[in-house]
Amino acid sequence: QLAYNIHVNGVLHCRVRYSQLLGLHEQIKKEYGSNVVPSFPPKKIFTLTPAEVEQRREQLEKYMQAVRQHPLLGSSDLFNSFLRKAQQDTQHVPTEEVTLDIWLSSGQKVTVNILTSDQTEDVLDVVATKLDLPDYLVGYFSLFLVREGVDGSLTFVRKLQEFELPYVSITSLQNSEFHIVLRKSYWDMAYDADVMDSRVGLNLLYGQTVSDVERGWILVNKDQHRQLKSLQEKGSKKEFIHLCQTLKYYGNVKFDPCVTDFPEKDCQVIVSAGNNELNFHVKLPNEQMKEGSFKVTRMRCWRVTSSVSGVSSKCEVKLELSFEYLMSKDRLQWVTITSQQAIMMSICLQAMVDELMVKKSGGSIKKVCVQLRVSTHFLDSPDPNRDQTIKLSTKLNSVSLRGISASNSANDISSDDFHGNYAFEGIGDDDL
């Protein structure tokens, strides 16, 4: 009997069998009715041929994607608890009390007591309680998985989602460079006013802003640096934040150096996301430097694709984020970024689109953070530790994400066109 690897962002999330997925399907059907649930691959009496194995994998992948994309099923506790339990079982982590370190942007470490089976929302609540963060502000913050380099550089891997267990996610990596960080999860600086009304919220936002300045994520000239230093010495936290709000790249997430094909092929680029746009700081082949930005409201759609190169244990996964951009009234052009953080970039784009959607529908600032629909991206990736994996294709499946309406109007925003993706990989019993 086969088992299937489900990968999240190229990392193994869990391993499940057909019978487990069938059980999930039956539960969903019982809870929500047959007319709501997507069709499920039927049982087979005889042993599957290799072609049938691949066909079933593709059908299961489509089924999981269809469930995830369904507005009711995808956010259901039934579906997410299935993935959480599968993650815990795959990593062989028993349910028990443990301590977990959560880092603040200021560098302060908060150690909380949790269960290994606590989901992301539960852990966030425990952290908020320990910090005395008011309940109404909890939704303004999220937990992020980051990787800290030996030079202190910070690489954002992903936002922890509701279908995973933070303790299991961080310990399964078995790498001390990875940390879980508490950081604001919204993009529009207008929400800062709510956060700064709370003493704890103000301290968290101030710590994050100071960190962003020190890391060079916020662009500061010498005069502004002197002003900020003076405000720091006076302890004027609100004034410090207000000044930073006027500076370039405030509130942005900065990504590691990568490569783009705009304005020409093989350009080195530093990308940052914020203020409803992607910002480019490009180094052209002739060493000339250029800056530019791409607004999410002018992106017709975007997608993340993956490919694999190399053989056996030395294979490498390459990720690309491509978006179709309205350069002028009647001219659309594809722009591609090659980066291992491509999925994180697309998550940022989707979050900015979601905020615009809430504003467009008249949603209030205080409700926006809890209304945001989580963007989920699942990619199949090779597992170098499993030489006998039944290969289902010679390269990774492309993952298509729709961020903006597919209409010709660049201002027509529709989150319904976004699709998260699961990827399945079949493995034999001997590999378990």
Side-chain angles (χ1 to χ4, degrees):
Q1 186 183 7
L2 286 175
Y4 297 91
N5 285 342
I6 300 180
H7 291 84
V8 182
N9 294 2
V11 176
L12 177 66
H13 176 75
C14 63
R15 187 173 297 121
V16 295
R17 295 186 181 277
Y18 172 86
S19 57
Q20 291 174 279
L21 294 172
L22 177 60
L24 170 66
H25 173 70
E26 294 297 335
Q27 283 184 288
I28 293 176
K29 192 164 62 172
K30 182 178 178 180
E31 181 77 20
Y32 296 99
S34 302
N35 59 327
V36 175
V37 186
S39 60
F40 191 82
K43 287 184 178 179
K44 298 283 186 179
I45 299 176
F46 303 105
T47 303
L48 299 179
T49 66
E52 289 172 329
V53 167
E54 167 61 1
Q55 183 183 45
R56 173 176 280 184
R57 185 199 65 80
E58 290 179 348
Q59 290 171 339
L60 288 172
E61 184 172 292
K62 288 178 181 177
Y63 172 81
M64 292 294 279
Q65 290 174 358
V67 173
R68 181 62 192 176
Q69 292 159 19
H70 192 281
L72 183 62
L73 305 181
S75 60
S76 68
D77 187 60
L78 181 60
F79 181 66
N80 288 315
S81 62
F82 172 84
L83 288 174
R84 290 193 293 266
K85 186 178 186 305
Q87 182 191 24
Q88 187 176 2
D89 291 345
T90 299
Q91 299 298 339
H92 306 293
V93 177
T95 297
E96 58 186 358
E97 292 185 359
V98 291
T99 59
L100 181 64
D101 293 334
I102 306 295
W103 295 83
L104 308 182
S105 296
S106 62
Q108 179 185 352
K109 181 176 69 174
V110 178
T111 301
V112 293
N113 297 307
I114 62 165
L115 292 175
T116 53
S117 58
D118 280 344
Q119 60 184 292
T120 301
E121 184 180 356
D122 295 335
V123 176
L124 180 60
D125 285 340
V126 172
V127 174
T129 299
K130 185 153 188 176
L131 293 172
D132 288 327
L133 183 68
D135 289 344
Y136 73 91
L137 285 181
V138 176
Y140 287 61
F141 293 86
S142 292
L143 299 175
F144 292 86
L145 180 66
V146 303
R147 185 170 192 166
E148 187 172 2
V150 292
D151 58 352
S153 60
L154 211 60
T155 298
F156 275 76
V157 179
R158 70 175 185 271
K159 175 181 172 181
L160 296 185
Q161 310 284 15
E162 81 277 21
F163 59 78
E164 63 184 311
L165 309 176
Y167 178 83
V168 178
S169 293
I170 191 73
T171 55
S172 64
L173 292 170
Q174 299 181 335
N175 189 328
S176 60
E177 293 180 355
F178 289 94
H179 306 295
I180 297 177
V181 171
L182 180 72
R183 186 179 171 91
K184 72 176 186 179
S185 57
Y186 58 87
W187 298 92
D188 192 330
M189 72 176 70
Y191 309 151
D192 287 348
D194 288 342
V195 175
M196 289 192 289
D197 280 343
S198 156
R199 175 185 58 82
V200 177
L202 172 62
N203 287 336
L204 289 173
L205 184 58
Y206 175 72
Q208 178 177 319
T209 307
V210 170
S211 174
D212 287 354
V213 170
E214 291 175 347
R215 292 183 183 279
W217 287 20
I218 299 174
L219 208 58
V220 181
N221 62 33
K222 288 184 179 180
D223 183 52
Q224 292 161 343
H225 189 271
R226 282 194 296 270
Q227 293 180 58
L228 292 173
K229 193 71 175 174
S230 175
L231 291 172
Q232 266 187 285
E233 292 170 352
K234 293 176 184 176
S236 304
K237 297 178 181 179
K238 285 189 177 181
E239 290 77 5
F240 183 96
I241 294 171
H242 286 318
L243 176 55
C244 286
Q245 287 175 334
T246 67
L247 304 180
K248 196 170 186 179
Y249 305 140
Y250 170 78
N252 281 24
V253 169
K254 191 175 182 181
F255 300 98
D256 295 344
C258 50
V259 177
T260 182
D261 63 356
F262 185 88
E264 52 186 288
K265 285 185 177 181
D266 299 323
C267 289
Q268 298 294 315
V269 62
I270 294 178
V271 179
S272 64
N275 194 31
N276 296 326
E277 58 190 21
L278 284 183
N279 297 290
F280 276 31
H281 190 78
V282 181
K283 183 179 182 180
L284 301 178
N286 63 5
E287 302 297 313
Q288 184 182 357
M289 304 299 295
K290 283 193 173 182
E291 286 188 280
S293 61
F294 299 90
K295 297 183 181 298
V296 296
T297 51
R298 295 178 69 87
M299 293 181 189
R300 194 177 77 92
C301 60
W302 71 80
R303 62 172 179 247
V304 174
T305 56
S306 61
S307 59
V308 64
S309 59
V311 293
S312 187
S313 61
K314 294 183 179 180
C315 59
E316 293 184 359
V317 179
K318 183 175 77 171
L319 299 178
E320 291 184 341
L321 170 72
S322 299
F323 56 89
E324 193 175 22
Y325 195 75
L326 188 64
M327 295 293 181
S328 57
K329 186 177 180 181
D330 298 310
R331 187 170 72 90
L332 286 162
Q333 180 178 336
W334 282 95
V335 177
T336 298
I337 304 166
T338 303
S339 167
Q340 290 306 109
Q341 292 175 286
I343 295 176
M344 183 64 191
M345 290 179 189
S346 72
I347 289 174
C348 291
L349 287 175
Q350 185 61 39
M352 287 187 278
V353 169
D354 284 336
E355 283 194 9
L356 290 172
M357 289 290 295
V358 171
K359 277 195 166 185
K360 188 176 180 180
S361 64
S364 70
I365 289 177
K366 291 191 177 183
K367 291 181 180 179
V368 65
C369 293
V370 296
Q371 289 175 347
L372 297 186
R373 182 165 54 86
V374 177
S375 307
T376 312
H377 311 262
F378 290 79
L379 288 176
D380 188 359
S381 71
D383 188 346
N385 297 318
R386 301 187 176 277
D387 295 332
Q388 297 182 22
T389 295
I390 297 174
K391 192 53 211 151
L392 306 174
S393 62
T394 55
K395 63 179 182 179
L396 302 187
N397 295 327
S398 294
V399 177
S400 296
L401 313 178
R402 301 289 291 190
I404 306 292
S405 170
S407 69
N408 290 327
S409 170
N411 295 316
D412 184 4
I413 302 171
S414 172
S415 62
D416 292 338
D417 289 313
F418 173 80
H419 304 292
N421 287 263
Y422 290 74
F424 277 64
E425 181 179 74
I427 60 176
D429 277 334
D430 294 341
D431 296 316
L432 293 178

